[in-house]
Amino acid sequence: MKQQPSALKDLKEVRLHGTKAFPCAIYRTYSIKKGIFVKHHWHDEIEILYFSGGEFRLEVNMESFPIQSECFYFINPGELHSIITETSESYWEDAVVFSPNILGFDSSDEAQIRLIKPIQNGRLLFPRCITSQHPAFSMLHKAFIDIMHAFKQNAEQIFEEQAQEHSYLKDSTLVTDNLTSQLYVKSSLMYILATLSAYRLFTPTEKNFDRRVESIKTALTFISENYYNKIYISDLASQVNLNEQYFCRLFKKAIGHSPIEYLNEYRIRQAKRLLEKTDLQVTEVCLECGFNNMGNFLQEFRKYTGTTPLQYRKYIESI
């Protein structure tokens, strides 16, 4: 068996959101075209998503949420989620992703005992959605904008510069190691907690969890750790102790693609990274990503990128 390139493991998300000292970052993700906007993933951090408009579909733990107007969505730790844009027009979404650990205090006051600790321990969940009509929205919006400004006063300009400089990328990211900025961020996050608490929007965690979601996460993890080897449907189904037919239906319902379609698309993503970051020949990239047939590799690459591996590498080098 081939040894997996460790730099390419990304499910479950292993990238650091923010820095080790301050695990919090803001993101702006741009829509390039209609289709998958943010792929299925999960992480241990809390994520606050802000949509200013556009037409999106957010999928969280087998549930689908259409988005057509200004709103906030909250992603709790461990929740499987993705975003699909429903239009070819240019839109973006902003996100604050932070570790629950930055919320804590050493003192054991009521806020620590009744709110912060339960959030950190997963016993309290954030609400799913706050629309612009909700009375808490304006307060949440102000705190969210304050967080954006705390990272950089000219965050909008930096996002635009990053998008222009890396026009082939969809993401722009900001982190901060500035003490004053971190204090403003933490105070704004606490203001968000206070607002949600005041409107009684936190909910206790249900004792039972959806085993279907855990099964899908297990299958996605297996693919990310073994994509460079031959993978059969039986391999995936056996990971979650399901028969192949039921597993395929479950996977298609959760992800929107069959297991094989997802596997091939995942392999092409890894191939694109290798073409961008290494000097490997196309035949080597083909084998490293689990394709044993060059014709099949070229066909799948064109299917997902609209071009050939060599043309893709030349385009990246020309930017």
Side-chain angles (χ1 to χ4, degrees), residues 266-309:
Y266 187 89
R267 285 170 168 166
I268 295 302
R269 273 191 277 157
Q270 311 315 314
K272 289 168 62 178
R273 293 187 184 185
L274 289 177
L275 291 167
E276 293 170 11
K277 299 178 180 180
T278 75
D279 296 324
L280 291 175
Q281 298 294 318
V282 172
T283 52
E284 295 176 292
V285 172
C286 169
L287 295 174
E288 286 291 329
C289 294
F291 291 98
N292 296 318
N293 180 290
M294 177 61 75
N296 184 37
F297 172 60
L298 296 176
Q299 179 181 352
E300 292 295 326
F301 195 92
R302 182 175 289 278
K303 174 182 175 181
Y304 289 105
T305 67
T307 187
T308 68

Side-chain angles (χ1 to χ4, degrees), residues 9-52:
K9 291 181 65 176
D10 63 356
L11 275 174
K12 157 184 154 188
E13 257 195 1
V14 294
R15 68 172 170 174
L16 181 65
H17 296 282
T19 65
K20 288 184 177 180
F22 192 68
C24 178
I26 59 174
Y27 298 86
R28 173 164 290 179
T29 304
Y30 298 85
S31 65
I32 296 177
K33 59 183 179 180
K34 184 176 181 179
I36 297 176
F37 188 49
V38 177
K39 299 184 183 298
H40 284 87
H41 67 289
W42 71 95
H43 41 67
D44 292 330
E45 292 79 14
I46 297 164
E47 183 168 1
I48 305 175
L49 294 165
Y50 170 68
F51 297 90
S52 60

Side-chain angles (χ1 to χ4, degrees), residues 50 70-72 130-146 191-192 195 199:
Y50 170 68
E70 188 178 23
C71 60
F72 284 103
I130 303 295
T131 66
S132 58
Q133 290 75 39
H134 195 284
F137 181 86
S138 59
M139 291 178 282
L140 295 175
H141 186 265
K142 178 184 183 303
F144 189 89
I145 296 302
D146 286 345
Y191 186 83
I192 289 175
T195 301
Y199 284 91

Side-chain angles (χ1 to χ4, degrees), residues 34-212:
K34 184 176 181 179
I36 297 176
F37 188 49
V38 177
K39 299 184 183 298
H40 284 87
H41 67 289
W42 71 95
H43 41 67
D44 292 330
E45 292 79 14
I46 297 164
E47 183 168 1
I48 305 175
L49 294 165
Y50 170 68
F51 297 90
S52 60
E55 295 182 34
F56 298 93
R57 186 170 79 253
L58 174 66
E59 296 184 350
V60 186
N61 287 352
M62 309 282 289
E63 291 187 77
S64 184
F65 303 92
I67 297 167
Q68 296 181 325
S69 60
E70 188 178 23
C71 60
F72 284 103
Y73 271 84
F74 295 83
I75 306 298
N76 293 288
E79 292 186 324
L80 181 67
H81 57 285
S82 68
I83 305 174
I84 298 171
T85 179
E86 305 281 22
T87 178
S88 58
E89 297 180 24
S90 179
Y91 289 100
W92 65 82
E93 57 87 10
D94 290 324
V96 175
V97 184
F98 62 96
S99 168
N101 293 331
I102 70 172
L103 301 173
F105 299 99
D106 288 335
S107 61
S108 296
D109 57 16
E110 287 296 296
Q112 180 75 10
I113 295 171
R114 297 175 56 186
L115 185 63
I116 295 174
K117 274 296 183 183
I119 290 174
Q120 292 174 331
N121 295 334
R123 298 198 303 272
L124 273 185
L125 298 179
F126 282 77
R128 180 61 70 217
C129 176
I130 303 295
T131 66
S132 58
Q133 290 75 39
H134 195 284
F137 181 86
S138 59
M139 291 178 282
L140 295 175
H141 186 265
K142 178 184 183 303
F144 189 89
I145 296 302
D146 286 345
I147 291 173
M148 302 287 283
H149 287 168
F151 274 88
K152 281 289 183 180
Q153 290 295 327
N154 56 340
E156 289 286 338
Q157 178 183 345
I158 291 176
F159 281 142
E160 290 178 6
E161 291 173 352
Q162 289 182 354
Q164 292 172 2
E165 182 180 355
H166 304 292
S167 57
Y168 63 98
L169 297 176
K170 292 196 298 180
D171 296 313
S172 295
T173 307
L174 289 179
V175 301
T176 182
D177 57 3
N178 179 271
L179 173 61
T180 301
S181 296
Q182 291 178 7
L183 289 172
Y184 278 125
V185 170
K186 292 187 70 170
S187 65
S188 295
L189 287 175
M190 295 305 298
Y191 186 83
I192 289 175
L193 296 189
T195 301
L196 296 177
S197 178
Y199 284 91
R200 302 180 183 275
L201 294 172
F202 286 104
T203 57
T205 305
E206 296 180 3
K207 292 182 179 180
N208 59 326
F209 66 96
D210 194 336
R211 295 189 181 279
R212 299 174 304 167

Side-chain angles (χ1 to χ4, degrees), residues 245-279:
Q245 187 176 15
Y246 178 77
F247 170 76
C248 288
R249 291 201 305 268
L250 176 64
F251 194 97
K252 180 69 176 289
K253 181 179 180 180
I255 304 300
H257 300 284
S258 72
I260 296 303
E261 288 173 335
Y262 178 87
L263 172 61
N264 285 334
E265 192 271 343
Y266 187 89
R267 285 170 168 166
I268 295 302
R269 273 191 277 157
Q270 311 315 314
K272 289 168 62 178
R273 293 187 184 185
L274 289 177
L275 291 167
E276 293 170 11
K277 299 178 180 180
T278 75
D279 296 324

